[in-house]
Structure formats: structure tokens, C-alpha cells
Amino acid sequence: TYVLRKAFRGLSLSPTEAAKRAGLPEKDVLALSRGQFSAETARKLAPTLGLDANAVSAHDTYEPAPVTLDAITRLKLPFGDDHVNAWLVSHGHTHLLFDTGDDTHSCAEHLTDLEMHPTVTFITHSHPDHVAGLPSLRGKKYGCEIRGTDPISAGDALAIGELTVQAIDLSGHDTAALGYLVEGLEKPIFVVGDAVFAGSIGGCDPSVYHDAIRRIKTAMEPLSAETIILPGHGPATTVGEERVSNPFFTWD
């Protein structure tokens, strides 16, 4: 239902209009949009919504394989009744923090429990659930360097310890959003904020929807299948998984 709602929104289509364009009974599309899954209806609706038919027809059972890498620590922070991710990527004495959660203190408290002090904090985008923890990290205890959508621009690359971090434009879900490609570990890591989720993307207004998908695909195309994707919500995944199982990406 999240996938369908994001496609309807991005295309400025109602379920009723989508059903007409696809030549499907309105009741079937409405049922699908309300969570009554039908692989047949999903497959037939996919072309009208610009979604990959194979991925969307199997989406009800999609769950990415568990991703494990000692260098990655997931900070699962409170966000209303749900959660939001901050990610810590470590190599030796270098600790890179990506995003800071939805409240002032939870991220800092997690870091204290882990006994880790971030070397640099990177911000993917400015939505409150990703930046609210910044004040605590700017205090005396941490005092880490902060890199966000202003101090670092798409295309910039930084060497931090033995790691390199390249900023990549993922604007769409937010007006200015960056992904960060981290290299120098056993596998490349792509921190994507809310641009990409396992099996989905961040919601986008119609004016930016197609550009957002294009930016994501442009960023992912040169990456190896084993590249680990760290999203702002939900589980980690890989480029290889999303090329096959994310309905928003159709590959030539």
C-alpha cells in the first residue's frame, strides 16, 4: 500500500483513474490499494504506474536478506510509534554518523551506551526526524564535525581516516537531499536517507517524482550489487536486492 500510494501521488493519479487507464475493475484497484493483495491485479496495474511488474507482483512477500558487516551499527531511534535510523560506520578510530534522530537526546544516549564518539556527522536531509539530535552532538561531550546539505555538496569527496565519503545528489523526497557513498571497507556502503527504502522510495510530489527516480537510478547504476544500502527507515538492503525487488526501478 505504501508503494501504491507513493506511485499514485507521484503521478497525480487516483486509484479510480489508474483503474480506467489500466482497463481494470475499479473495485480491484481500490482493494489492492487498501491492502487486499492480488499478484494478478498488481502485475496488470504496474505499467500504468510505471512500476516493475515482476517486483510489484511479488512485493507482498519481499524482505531483504539480512545485511551484516561489523563496521555498521544501526541506531534504531524513536519516531512517534515507529522508528527512524541513524547509522554509525566505523573503521579503527574513525566513526562516521549518518543522521541524528527525531528528538534531542536519543541519538547521543545511544552513542554513550556504545562508548563511541563520532568523528564526523553527516546529514542526509533536513526533515526533523533526521536532524533533531544535532544540538546534543554539537555540545562539549562530542563536538564532532557536522556535514550536511550546506557544508558539503553533491560531487564532493572527503578522505576521513582510511575511508572516503562521496556526496551524491538524491533530492526529491526533500528539496535538498544527499546520499553518501562510503568506500574503504570490505564492501561499499551507500547511505541514502529517505530517498530509498527496502522495496520502496521516499514519497515525492509530482513536480519532482520522475527526477527523483532518475537521480536514484543514476546513483545506483555504477555500484556493485554487493553495495550495502542504509536507509532512513526500515532494514538495510543491497543494490543487488533493490535492482530486482524494488518496484520503482525498471532497468534496461
Side-chain angles (χ1 to χ4, degrees):
T1 57
Y2 277 109
V3 166
L4 294 177
R5 286 205 295 269
K6 289 170 183 177
F8 289 144
R9 174 187 172 189
L11 296 170
S12 293
L13 275 180
S14 68
T16 297
E17 181 60 31
K20 289 179 182 178
R21 294 190 184 185
L24 293 169
E26 180 183 358
K27 65 179 180 61
D28 291 352
V29 175
L30 287 172
L32 184 69
S33 70
R34 293 167 181 164
Q36 298 175 37
F37 187 77
S38 162
E40 181 181 1
T41 301
R43 179 176 291 278
K44 290 179 178 178
L45 183 63
T48 298
L49 299 183
L51 301 175
D52 181 89
N54 291 330
V56 77
S57 64
H59 198 268
D60 67 321
T61 59
Y62 173 55
E63 190 170 327
V67 172
T68 57
L69 191 67
D70 289 342
I72 298 172
T73 303
R74 180 185 184 185
L75 280 62
K76 198 172 179 179
L77 305 176
F79 176 40
D81 294 331
D82 205 341
H83 70 272
V84 61
N85 295 328
W87 296 96
L88 200 63
V89 177
S90 303
H91 185 275
H93 297 293
T94 299
H95 303 291
L96 308 181
L97 177 68
F98 296 90
D99 290 337
T100 65
D102 188 51
D103 62 77
T104 304
H105 300 293
S106 62
C107 184
E109 290 169 354
H110 275 65
L111 292 170
T112 297
D113 291 342
L114 293 168
E115 298 183 348
M116 289 187 178
H117 291 248
T119 311
V120 183
T121 295
F122 293 89
I123 299 298
T124 61
H125 63 296
S126 61
H127 287 174
D129 55 320
H130 295 264
V131 300
L134 277 173
S136 293
L137 299 180
R138 287 190 171 113
K140 293 181 180 179
K141 183 173 182 179
Y142 293 101
C144 58
E145 183 180 356
I146 308 293
R147 296 281 181 141
T149 56
D150 289 327
I152 187 170
S153 302
D156 290 352
L158 301 175
I160 305 171
E162 296 184 24
L163 303 178
T164 60
V165 181
Q166 181 182 356
I168 297 172
D169 182 13
L170 293 181
S171 302
H173 173 70
D174 194 12
T175 303
L178 292 174
Y180 298 99
L181 180 63
V182 182
E183 296 181 291
L185 297 165
E186 179 184 341
K187 297 178 181 179
I189 294 171
F190 192 24
V191 187
V192 295
D194 287 357
V196 184
F197 304 124
S200 189
I201 63 170
C204 299
D205 289 335
S207 60
V208 298
Y209 177 71
H210 291 293
D211 284 342
I213 293 175
R214 176 185 53 78
R215 289 189 185 100
I216 296 166
K217 287 185 64 176
T218 297
M220 287 174 58
E221 279 175 339
L223 302 181
S224 65
E226 67 175 2
T227 301
I228 296 170
I229 294 176
L230 302 182
H233 302 268
T237 181
T238 64
V239 167
E241 290 253 26
E242 297 311 301
R243 283 177 178 157
V244 173
S245 300
N246 195 310
F248 290 94
F249 307 134
T250 53
W251 303 91
D252 297 329

